[in-house]
Amino acid sequence: MTAQVTWLALAAVTLAGAAGVVSTREIMRLVISLGTFLLGVAGFFAYYALPFLAVAEVFVYVGGVLVLFLFAIMAHKPDEEGRRLLGARFDVGVAVTCSGLFVLLLVTLRPLAGLLSLTPLVSSGPEAVAGVLLGPLLPLFELLGALLLAALVAGIAIAGKGDAE
Amino acid sequence: MSLLMLTSGLLCLGLYGVLTRRDLVAVLASVEVMLGAGTIQLAAFSTALNVTATSASAAATGQGYTLAILVLAAAEAAVGLALLVVLVRLGRTRTDQIEEVRG
């Protein structure tokens, strides 16, 4: 019973955050909604007994990417009332397309539903994750390291080129 | 089924945001929502498959791939926000104002 209430609470927080990201016009509300969504995702990781992923999500996203978003938003010029507003519109065609995709996903993934459970299960800890990353997934792990370095260099190069222009 | 509904709904919500929002910040945030939905799904299946996996290493493979998505999303956010900073300086943050890409 407690597990189901926790799951529903996490689902509500995550959905509310995602709805805020998609619909709000105030830029700070968008960041707060994104933070709420990401905390909900970290909560799901903790719920499914994956503490390593939960901590990584909080450190990388709530602590890192959100700060990057705040820095980018500081560059936005406020309007006359001192607010930083974003464009938002409702598109019926896109809404219908996304609803169709939702139904298609449900129909396609339905055979897998029996595998999943709402109740938390005992899972493997950080030692097992380290064993996988330094074992069978080592090439992927190395590739991701190179990708992060490339992204860092690209970010500096793009921002620096903008400075020059 | 509830988890599938939740993650599918989050993915479609994120896609709706990507297709309808016009500011680059909002588009990037919507992409993060889509990636978040995928990571929840992967993590949940990783836990579910752990019950039937023959070794701890096999069971943690899903977590390894979830970490890979986290890293990819962080790299995407870093490059996207660097582009955003440049576009803010040029006064063009709306997607319909970005018409050309130069090397």
Side-chain angles (χ1 to χ4, degrees):
Chain A
M1 181 67 185
T2 314
Q4 282 192 340
V5 171
T6 310
W7 193 93
L8 286 173
L10 283 172
V13 166
T14 314
L15 268 176
V21 167
V22 171
S23 62
T24 189
R25 290 194 68 209
E26 284 262 4
I27 205 160
M28 278 311 291
R29 283 187 192 160
L30 180 133
V31 174
I32 292 167
S33 299
L34 186 62
T36 308
F37 170 78
L38 295 173
L39 281 175
V41 174
F44 267 112
F45 289 154
Y47 178 85
Y48 281 107
L50 305 168
F52 181 72
L53 284 182
V55 172
E57 176 83 13
V58 172
F59 277 13
V60 174
Y61 278 101
V62 185
V65 173
L66 268 191
V67 173
L68 266 181
F69 265 87
L70 284 175
F71 272 113
I73 284 163
M74 279 162 61
H76 260 77
K77 286 179 187 164
D79 61 7
E80 288 126 12
E81 294 175 12
R83 294 186 305 173
R84 293 175 167 88
L85 292 178
L86 300 166
R89 67 192 165 105
F90 178 73
D91 193 311
V92 180
V94 176
V96 169
T97 306
C98 291
S99 305
L101 180 66
F102 176 66
V103 174
L104 190 69
L105 279 172
L106 282 188
V107 171
T108 312
L109 296 174
R110 196 171 177 176
L112 300 174
L115 279 175
L116 293 171
S117 164
L118 286 189
T119 51
L121 302 162
V122 178
S123 185
S124 46
E127 299 87 1
V129 180
V132 166
L133 287 178
L134 299 175
L137 296 185
L138 184 61
L140 177 70
F141 187 56
E142 295 287 346
L143 192 68
L144 288 172
L147 180 84
L148 266 184
L149 183 65
L152 186 69
V153 173
I156 293 169
I158 291 167
K161 195 172 181 185
D163 263 342
E165 285 182 11
Chain B
M1 195 65 189
S2 308
L3 186 80
L4 289 177
M5 283 180 74
L6 176 73
T7 50
S8 303
L10 286 172
L11 187 85
C12 295
L13 208 56
L15 181 66
Y16 178 81
V18 169
L19 294 176
T20 56
R21 301 305 294 260
R22 285 180 180 169
D23 281 87
L24 209 55
V25 178
V27 173
L28 274 175
S30 301
V31 171
E32 298 295 340
V33 169
M34 291 179 74
L35 289 167
T39 51
I40 295 175
Q41 187 82 282
L42 258 179
F45 272 107
S46 163
T47 311
L49 293 175
N50 194 17
V51 180
T52 53
T54 51
S55 68
S57 174
T61 305
Q63 290 186 65
Y65 282 113
T66 311
L67 267 178
I69 292 186
L70 289 183
V71 172
L72 281 175
E76 169 261 325
V79 175
L81 290 170
L83 277 172
L84 179 71
V85 167
V86 174
L87 290 169
V88 164
R89 285 195 200 122
L90 296 173
R92 289 182 288 182
T93 55
R94 292 166 67 93
T95 50
D96 51 1
Q97 293 172 325
I98 308 163
E99 291 169 344
E100 61 180 47
V101 177
R102 283 182 293 150

